[in-house]
Amino acid sequence: MATIYWSAGASGSASVGGNWVGGSAPGSGDVAYFNSGNSNQNCDWDIASTFGSIYVNSDYTGTIDLSEAMTMTHASQGPVFGNTLSTINTHDYDVTWTYLPGAYYFTPAGTINWGDTNLTVNGAINAGGAGTMNIGA
């Protein structure tokens, strides 16, 4: 398990190793990390395999567009979209979050455009904060 930082020099695909620090896309157990210190470029999330989790830091202002279903399983960190100015578009792809210890707390501060898809979570989600979640967008 590792933290893999998005470092694309231009908008690009998540599956391309060159868009990540270290030259490899996130894999099983890895955390995909987005911050402005490495790149504010947009990401086309086209990784179909299960990975660990996603962390969108507060300074990341890019857009993450799903073009595959997103499946995350992690033992120590659930996905974090809180305190960010970014936009995440699910484009009708399912998202499954499995946080092995139990509940996950989700506080969006950016914009999440949730299409007509399934969100599957083990435990609980507390949605709140200053963000916007558009259901069916």
Side-chain angles (χ1 to χ4, degrees):
M1 176 182 84
T3 299
I4 312 295
Y5 293 87
W6 177 248
S7 62
S11 294
S13 297
S15 63
V16 175
N19 287 332
W20 301 91
V21 171
S24 295
S28 180
D30 293 338
V31 175
Y33 197 101
F34 293 83
N35 68 357
S36 68
N38 290 296
S39 177
N40 260 329
Q41 296 296 325
N42 298 338
C43 176
D44 172 32
W45 191 269
D46 61 344
I47 298 175
S49 61
T50 299
F51 68 106
S53 191
I54 188 168
Y55 189 102
V56 182
N57 199 53
S58 62
D59 61 357
Y60 179 74
T61 58
T63 297
I64 301 170
D65 286 302
L66 270 61
S67 58
E68 290 284 347
M70 183 179 274
T71 303
M72 298 170 277
T73 300
H74 205 273
S76 62
Q77 176 182 319
V80 175
F81 295 124
N83 301 318
T84 182
L85 299 175
S86 64
T87 300
I88 299 168
N89 300 306
T90 66
H91 296 295
D92 297 336
Y93 289 97
D94 292 343
V95 175
T96 302
W97 295 335
T98 303
Y99 181 44
L100 298 177
Y104 170 68
Y105 297 94
F106 174 53
T107 307
T111 301
I112 299 177
N113 295 314
W114 205 274
D116 296 323
T117 60
N118 294 317
L119 168 62
T120 305
V121 178
N122 82 318
I125 289 183
N126 291 333
T132 303
M133 181 178 267
N134 299 309
I135 307 296

